[in-house]
């Protein structure tokens, strides 16, 4: 009887230990250690995290206020901000089943649009990839797992149209993280929270989308201060949540009902905001720029947390 009792106790304790380890694994940001080492990334002062309203791809080549603001932001790296060792971009234009990171040595420049001048199709952004560190990053995530794409994707216009004005030399290794559109907003925000630790290893996290994005409702001749009432309401609500530090509330955007449906008939342009907000910290300062509209239904509002 004594041996049987001890055996049962051993089984119970072992099961309890496995349960605790399972719970820890499910919530650990980087289960292989509190200070993960990367072979290609050095610890650094904490990098900012940026959300950019990218709007039309023509902003990449036109001499307008948006392109100039991206140029000015890029010039702050190496002075006001540390120089990035790696850029990780989450673009509205790469949607997959599950999550993936680009893992090719030389990402191609993707011209994923139509009906624009040849000058836009001629644009190239030959930034190198980072297959070694990409594999190391992916290895640290199991909830959710992150797959590797070593040949299919590259850098779409959501990435290169903003990065080329910021870093025109295209020498900083650059990777993209896809978004699983089928997953709820909470999971996108949670993955952004996990990515936050990369900021301490020289990684600049850039989300590229738009806080309001309804192409069908665009008015081409609208001034930058003109917008639909629903666009203004959605943009202001999101801006208030960001400004007050209530970043978790950004996950609940669909609770705004018809206003949210009009602001985002499909919400792939909103999701990159959740990654950057998740990667932000309550210790960060925040500033807006480009807080205006394009075509009355595209919010160009952009955010830097640092």
């Amino acid at each position: 009887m004594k041996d049987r009792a001890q055996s049962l106790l051993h089984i119970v304790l072992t099961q309890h230990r496995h349960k605790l380890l399972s719970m820890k694994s499910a919530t650990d940001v980087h289960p292989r250690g509190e200070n993960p080492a990367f072979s290609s990334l050095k610890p650094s002062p904490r990098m900012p995290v940026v959300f950019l309203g990218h709007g039309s791809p023509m902003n990449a080549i036109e001499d307008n206020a948006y392109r100039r603001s991206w140029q000015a932001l890029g010039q702050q790296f190496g002075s006001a901000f540390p120089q990035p060792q790696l850029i990780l971009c989450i673009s509205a234009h790469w949607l997959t089943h599950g999550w993936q990171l680009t893992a090719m040595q030389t990402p191609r420049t993707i011209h994923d649009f139509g009906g624009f001048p040849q000058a836009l199709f001629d644009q190239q952004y030959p930034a190198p990839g980072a297959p070694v560190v990409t594999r190391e990053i992916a290895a640290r995530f199991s909830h959710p797992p992150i797959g590797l794409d070593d040949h299919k994707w590259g850098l779409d216009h959501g990435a290169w149209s903003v990065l080329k004005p910021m870093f025109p030399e295209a020498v900083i290794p650059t990777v993209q993280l896809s978004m699983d559109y089928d997953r709820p907003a909470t999971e996108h925000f949670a993955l952004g929270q996990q990515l936050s630790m990369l900021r301490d290893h020289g990684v600049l996290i850039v989300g590229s989308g738009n806080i309001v994005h309804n192409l069908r409702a665009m008015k081409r001749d609208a001034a930058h201060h003109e917008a639909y009432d629903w666009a203004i309401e959605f943009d202001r609500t999101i801006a208030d949540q960001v400004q007050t530090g209530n970043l978790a509330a950004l996950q609940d955007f669909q609770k705004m009902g018809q206003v949210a449906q009009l602001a985002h008939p499909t919400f792939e342009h909103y999701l990159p905001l959740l990654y950057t907000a998740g990667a932000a910290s309550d210790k960060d300062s925040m500033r807006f720029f480009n807080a205006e509209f394009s075509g009355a239904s595209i919010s160009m509002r952009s955010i830097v947390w640092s």
Side-chain angles (χ1 to χ4, degrees):
M1 288 293 292
K2 182 178 180 181
D3 290 343
R4 183 182 178 188
Q6 288 178 334
S7 177
L8 288 172
L9 179 60
H10 175 74
I11 291 171
V12 170
L13 290 175
T14 300
Q15 290 176 339
H16 181 64
R17 180 175 178 271
H18 287 168
K19 182 178 180 181
L20 289 175
L21 288 173
S22 175
M23 292 170 63
K24 183 179 187 297
S25 175
T27 57
D28 218 350
V29 171
H30 35 82
R32 298 189 183 184
E34 291 301 318
N35 297 293
F38 296 95
S39 64
S40 303
L41 296 175
K42 299 177 182 179
S44 74
R46 194 160 179 80
M47 296 294 296
V49 59
V50 178
F51 173 79
L52 298 175
H54 67 241
S56 168
M58 288 298 292
N59 292 326
I61 61 174
E62 292 180 338
D63 182 21
N64 60 29
Y66 304 131
R67 184 171 183 268
R68 290 192 294 271
S69 73
W70 302 334
Q71 290 172 323
L73 177 59
Q75 290 168 4
Q76 295 184 59
F77 290 89
S79 54
F81 304 134
Q83 190 71 18
Q85 299 174 50
L86 177 76
I87 298 170
L88 189 154
C89 186
I90 304 100
S91 162
H93 297 279
W94 191 20
L95 305 178
T96 55
H97 295 293
W99 281 267
Q100 296 183 37
L101 276 168
T102 54
M104 62 283 296
Q105 188 66 51
T106 307
R108 66 189 177 98
T109 303
I110 302 173
H111 302 89
D112 48 332
F113 42 68
F116 289 97
Q118 184 60 42
L120 193 59
F121 290 91
D122 291 340
Q123 296 298 304
Q124 295 292 316
Y125 192 65
V132 173
V133 73
T134 298
R135 284 173 169 79
E136 292 178 341
I137 291 171
R140 282 168 170 76
F141 291 89
S142 57
H143 303 280
I146 296 178
L148 297 172
D149 172 13
D150 61 6
H151 66 284
K152 289 183 180 180
W153 203 246
L155 301 176
D156 62 52
H157 82 269
W160 65 257
S161 70
V162 294
L163 294 179
K164 188 168 185 176
M166 288 180 66
F167 304 105
E169 297 86 359
V171 296
I172 302 172
T174 302
V175 300
Q176 271 195 236
L177 173 67
S178 73
M179 301 186 299
D180 188 340
Y181 190 76
D182 296 327
R183 306 310 302 162
T186 53
E187 293 187 23
H188 297 278
F189 186 81
L191 183 50
Q193 290 177 309
Q194 295 186 61
L195 293 173
S196 180
M197 61 95 172
L198 297 175
R199 296 176 61 190
D200 298 318
H201 290 80
V203 179
L204 173 61
I205 298 171
V206 177
S208 180
N210 292 98
I211 289 176
V212 175
H213 188 268
N214 186 330
L215 290 178
R216 291 185 179 181
M218 283 190 73
K219 297 179 179 179
R220 303 291 176 179
D221 57 348
H224 293 309
H225 65 277
E226 297 176 334
Y228 294 97
D229 289 344
W230 49 262
I232 293 171
E233 180 180 348
F234 190 89
D235 181 73
R236 285 181 177 172
T237 299
I238 298 305
D240 287 345
Q241 291 171 349
V242 171
Q243 196 157 28
T244 58
N246 188 15
L247 301 181
L250 298 173
Q251 303 168 94
D252 298 326
F253 70 101
Q254 289 172 300
K255 292 181 179 179
M256 295 179 68
Q258 187 178 14
V259 169
Q261 293 171 13
L262 289 168
H264 290 281
T266 58
F267 48 84
E268 73 283 343
H269 277 72
Y270 182 84
L271 293 179
L273 174 64
L274 297 181
Y275 290 82
T276 53
S281 163
D282 55 9
K283 297 179 181 178
D284 288 326
S285 60
M286 179 280 305
R287 73 174 179 92
F288 294 127
F289 64 102
N290 291 342
E292 57 188 39
F293 290 87
S294 175
S297 64
I298 307 292
S299 170
M300 296 298 292
R301 184 184 296 276
S302 301
I303 311 166
V304 177
W305 288 275
S306 61

